[in-house]
Amino acid sequence: MARTHMQGIRARMAVVGAAVAVAATVWGVTAIVDPGRDTNHENVSRQTDDPAPGGGATDPQAPGNPGRQVPDGIAHASESGGDAVNITIDDGPDPKWTPKVLEVLAKYDVKATFCMIGPQAEAHPDLVKKVVAGGHRLCDHTMDHDTAMDKKPLDYQRRQILDAKKLIEDAAGGGAKVEYYRAPGGAFTPESRALAAANGMRPLGWNIDSKDFEKPGAATIVNTVKGEMKNGPTVLFHDGGGNRTQTVEALDQVLAWLKEQGRPTGFPVVTGPSS
């Protein structure tokens, strides 16, 4: 009798276990094929011009340009139009290399856009002020230069962008504004671009990567810039992230070459269409 009773219990347990397994299988299949279950919605393709939520009429006016709103499309074009070239400098300010970069820019009377790391700006407010005093523009390059930002939650991206903006503007003082946002490694998302635009910063891309970060030699950096000039007007250099001797040498040569070519320099568009 006891044996029959135990056999009945085992049989019922087997039925229950089978039902649970079937239910788990169905749930798993649903999780895989259900298009509504987007588990990676922040991982949006880099360097895109897809429309983003929060843009358009809700965007604020551009700093120092009343009546013009900031789009959330990634900017590449130059405000100066034509064959003008935009010089952009990333990852500083650095107490050794930023002054040297500023000297080269002053030598050729060229204005650049400096994409700064928030804590670096906080640590070197004198350099931020010097950049502004030189007529250059400020760009937000986040707090930690996280090149995987496009895989992180929006709240994380918001802190990275807005905390850095505040630190840079506080360091600059005098009401200076950050006019651009450049995602580390180009890790933009539609949400982060909309967030930047909603805070008066034009998302800023680049057309020419000088590859100076790899330190391949000044001549190679110069040749890279010249070879990619056909790609568009915005050039990427660095004043942070280590020894920038090659960058300073290459920047000098590139600016001399642009002057020989009769090509003007300018700033990336803030309110114009992305390109």
Side-chain angles (χ1 to χ4, degrees):
M1 187 69 178
R3 178 179 298 176
T4 302
H5 179 66
M6 289 300 296
Q7 289 175 341
I9 291 174
R10 292 193 182 97
R12 286 194 295 272
M13 290 177 64
V15 171
V16 172
V20 170
V22 171
T25 300
V26 172
W27 181 89
V29 172
T30 302
I32 293 172
V33 302
D34 184 359
R37 295 183 60 85
D38 184 358
T39 59
N40 196 25
H41 67 279
E42 298 294 347
N43 187 14
V44 185
S45 60
R46 298 175 178 225
Q47 295 286 12
T48 67
D49 289 315
D50 300 332
T58 59
D59 293 340
Q61 294 182 354
N65 199 348
R68 299 294 300 278
Q69 292 180 330
V70 180
D72 54 25
I74 298 175
H76 299 93
S78 177
E79 286 183 347
S80 300
D83 59 353
V85 176
N86 305 319
I87 302 297
T88 65
I89 314 291
D90 282 19
D91 296 359
D94 180 273
K96 181 173 183 178
W97 301 109
T98 301
K100 293 181 181 298
V101 168
L102 288 170
E103 288 175 6
V104 173
L105 294 170
K107 175 180 176 180
Y108 295 95
D109 193 24
V110 167
K111 308 305 179 186
T113 301
F114 283 78
C115 300
M116 298 183 175
I117 306 296
Q120 287 292 106
E122 182 182 36
H124 306 289
D126 56 322
L127 293 178
V128 183
K129 290 178 173 65
K130 191 171 183 179
V131 166
V132 173
H136 308 287
R137 289 187 184 176
L138 300 173
C139 172
D140 178 341
H141 205 33
T142 74
M143 292 292 291
D144 298 310
H145 200 275
D146 182 356
T147 57
M149 275 187 61
D150 56 347
K151 300 177 176 64
K152 302 295 177 59
L154 180 58
D155 185 60
Y156 171 86
Q157 297 181 57
R158 180 182 292 108
R159 293 193 304 271
Q160 284 285 316
I161 297 168
L162 297 187
D163 288 358
K165 179 178 186 287
K166 184 178 188 307
L167 290 182
I168 296 167
E169 291 182 344
D170 286 351
K177 297 296 182 183
V178 173
E179 298 191 52
Y180 307 92
Y181 162 62
R182 173 172 277 168
F188 292 99
T189 67
E191 294 88 352
S192 67
R193 286 166 29 211
L195 174 67
N199 285 273
M201 298 180 290
R202 182 68 186 268
L204 176 59
W206 63 86
N207 307 106
I208 303 163
D209 184 353
S210 69
K211 303 291 196 304
D212 63 332
F213 202 84
E214 298 174 3
K215 302 182 180 68
T220 299
I221 295 170
V222 172
N223 288 335
T224 296
V225 172
K226 290 180 178 180
E228 294 188 7
M229 195 61 69
K230 62 184 180 297
N231 295 341
T234 302
V235 188
L236 170 63
F237 289 102
H238 296 83
D239 61 343
N243 189 319
R244 301 264 66 94
T245 300
Q246 295 178 13
T247 296
V248 174
E249 294 176 3
L251 179 62
D252 191 308
Q253 295 177 40
V254 167
L255 296 184
W257 176 73
L258 290 174
K259 185 175 181 179
E260 292 171 1
Q261 298 291 310
R263 297 194 64 169
T265 55
F267 292 114
V269 293
V270 175
T271 56
S274 59
S275 60

